[in-house]
Amino acid sequence: MKTLVTSILSFAFAAGLGSAVLAQEATPANGAAPAHHAEGETPHYPLKHPKEEEWSFAGPFGHYDKGQLQRGLKVYTEVCAACHSMKLVPFRTLDELGYSEAQVKAFAANYEVPDGPDASGEMFTRKAVPSDYFPSPFPNAEAAAASNNGAAPPDFSLIAKARAVERGFPQFVFDIFTQYQESGPDYIHALLTGYEEPPAGFHVPQGGHYNPYFNAAAVLAMPKPLSDGQVTYDDGSPATVDQYSRDVSAFLMWAAEPHLEARKRTGFMVMIFLAIFTVLIYLTKRSIYANKEH
């Protein structure tokens, strides 16, 4: 039995290494479509896999950097909010970023939301209050698509959890022990910083933009959204595309999982409880069977 299990594990490990080698060989350094694909055959996307970045919220004891989240909110409101909504995120949750109640009310008042009907049966718009949610910049999905080359921009509420790139075998096995769950922010950061000129011979359709980190194709409708100096930070942080991308990626991770810190604290306490419980069970067993003949 041991020999059989060992053989299966060895075969699986060898298969994983073989797949990794083939994947590396299949993806050219310039981000072009893999050479071994026949004409007309769909290549595997993304052409380039995101790099594993360092995040304050990574690992079992990770936590959000409120300064970074505030910068990310600024990038979202000044750049991303022109196209992307966050319809599942209420303004009131911004107090978790370190803002006071008055600041949250003032921030919400910058937006207008639909309401009604009034006494006459008519719909109207009003200034948002903390209990409202981030509104969409478009009245409907059709209007959003018409304004963006036929592709409606996705909602950003859960984008950091929904657009994670699968790491495959054997990496996902190691992720169980390292508790790696930052694939979404890694992907967003890579996408925002990954715009580049297409390789020679690669045709980019009109209105498209080449990005080898895009997980659905090599071309996407969204043009490069960020540029150096576009957003001015109040705390003096670097006004670079890399910094913008890191900050907004962290903010979107918070939007998708605002209770991450509490979940990690609870998980740690559960593990401590299980460890103590295991020791008590073992000592109880030793006590009960100490005078028993075996």
Side-chain angles (χ1 to χ4, degrees):
M1 183 64 182
K2 291 183 179 179
T3 303
L4 177 61
V5 173
T6 302
S7 300
I8 294 175
L9 292 176
S10 300
F11 176 78
F13 182 72
L17 290 179
S19 301
V21 171
L22 288 176
Q24 185 176 4
E25 293 178 351
T27 307
N30 61 2
H36 72 274
H37 286 283
E39 184 177 357
E41 184 178 352
T42 303
H44 296 289
Y45 297 108
L47 298 180
K48 291 183 179 180
H49 284 266
K51 297 179 181 178
E52 187 173 342
E53 303 291 340
E54 294 185 3
W55 305 99
S56 64
F57 48 83
F61 304 106
H63 62 280
Y64 288 122
D65 180 347
K66 290 185 178 181
Q68 184 178 48
L69 297 184
Q70 292 181 7
R71 294 194 303 270
L73 173 63
K74 187 176 180 66
V75 174
Y76 169 77
T77 55
E78 295 188 12
V79 181
C80 310
C83 297
H84 298 274
S85 62
M86 284 202 305
K87 60 185 179 182
L88 300 181
V89 180
F91 292 111
R92 66 175 182 271
T93 58
L94 295 180
D95 61 356
E96 298 177 11
L97 274 59
Y99 294 111
S100 65
E101 182 179 352
Q103 288 176 314
V104 173
K105 288 182 178 180
F107 182 87
N110 293 324
Y111 293 83
E112 289 190 348
V113 295
D115 202 351
D118 56 15
S120 303
E122 300 293 333
M123 301 297 292
F124 61 93
T125 59
R126 59 168 174 79
K127 288 188 175 181
V129 296
S131 59
D132 291 316
Y133 293 75
F134 279 84
S136 172
F138 303 102
N140 50 60
E142 289 73 18
S147 301
N148 292 275
N149 297 325
D155 181 78
F156 269 3
S157 303
L158 303 174
I159 197 76
K161 304 292 287 186
R163 296 298 173 89
V165 177
E166 296 183 2
R167 286 154 66 86
F169 183 86
Q171 285 180 305
F172 78 87
V173 178
F174 302 132
D175 293 344
I176 296 175
F177 300 98
T178 61
Q179 297 191 19
Y180 172 79
Q181 53 186 335
E182 295 77 49
S183 180
D186 285 345
Y187 170 73
I188 296 172
H189 176 267
L191 184 71
L192 293 176
T193 59
Y195 286 86
E196 58 185 52
E197 292 296 323
F202 188 95
H203 173 68
V204 177
Q206 183 178 3
H209 305 273
Y210 181 77
N211 192 320
Y213 293 97
F214 188 39
N215 65 357
V219 176
L220 71 165
M222 180 179 71
K224 183 179 179 180
L226 299 171
S227 58
D228 291 345
Q230 186 173 357
V231 178
T232 301
Y233 285 143
D234 300 329
D235 61 358
S237 296
T240 62
V241 171
D242 180 73
Q243 187 67 49
Y244 296 152
S245 302
R246 291 179 185 278
D247 295 339
V248 76
S249 297
F251 171 72
L252 294 177
M253 181 63 178
W254 169 83
E257 196 168 0
H259 305 298
L260 176 142
E261 294 176 333
R263 175 176 61 79
K264 291 187 176 185
R265 287 194 299 267
T266 301
F268 178 72
M269 295 303 296
V270 169
M271 296 303 296
I272 293 296
F273 167 78
L274 291 177
I276 296 175
F277 184 72
T278 300
V279 172
L280 292 177
I281 290 296
Y282 174 74
L283 294 177
T284 301
K285 173 185 175 297
R286 289 285 303 270
S287 176
I288 292 176
Y289 290 97
N291 298 323
K292 298 287 185 179
E293 294 184 0
H294 296 283

